[in-house]
Amino acid sequence: MTDVREIQLGPVGQQVVFENEHVRVWEITLAPGESQTWHRHENPYLVMALEGARNRIDPIDGGEPRRVSEESGNVIFRPAGEVHMLTNEGDTTYRSRLVELLTTSR
């Protein structure tokens, strides 16, 4: 298990492509075998796969890795909170847009 206090967390995506007071949209591109740095989602978010791939999500708390097959056009909702790393385990480039929800109705 990796201690979150011992590492520098990175951003949730590689490049912000849109932002306003309600949402922040990130671009994520991972070549086969490439990983995104450890990061934490402070806000709930949607992932929209533009180019799908077989990915692995490794939680920093030592939990079991989750293998997800993200197909082009799919949209997934995930809650905020978990620190994890994303790795493209497939043989195709993975490309997505991650939409952070900065405001939510109460």
Side-chain angles (χ1 to χ4, degrees), residues 5-89:
R5 296 171 298 185
E6 297 176 6
I7 62 165
Q8 178 82 21
L9 296 179
V12 301
Q14 295 157 332
Q15 177 184 357
V16 175
V17 295
F18 177 83
E19 184 171 6
N20 66 22
E21 67 274 13
H22 304 289
V23 298
R24 181 180 303 121
V25 181
W26 295 87
E27 175 88 17
I28 299 169
T29 302
L30 296 175
E34 189 175 10
S35 295
Q36 191 179 5
T37 60
W38 293 108
H39 59 278
R40 172 182 290 131
H41 293 273
E42 300 294 335
N43 301 295
Y45 61 102
L46 300 168
V47 178
M48 295 179 284
L50 303 176
E51 296 177 45
R54 291 188 327 268
N55 293 322
R56 185 182 77 230
I57 300 170
D58 292 292
I60 201 167
D61 68 4
E64 287 295 316
R66 295 188 309 276
R67 287 179 166 76
V68 293
S69 181
E70 298 189 36
E71 296 183 26
S72 297
N74 281 2
V75 178
I76 300 166
F77 171 82
R78 295 207 170 102
E82 180 184 63
V83 175
H84 63 263
M85 177 185 296
L86 179 68
T87 300
N88 178 350
E89 290 190 318

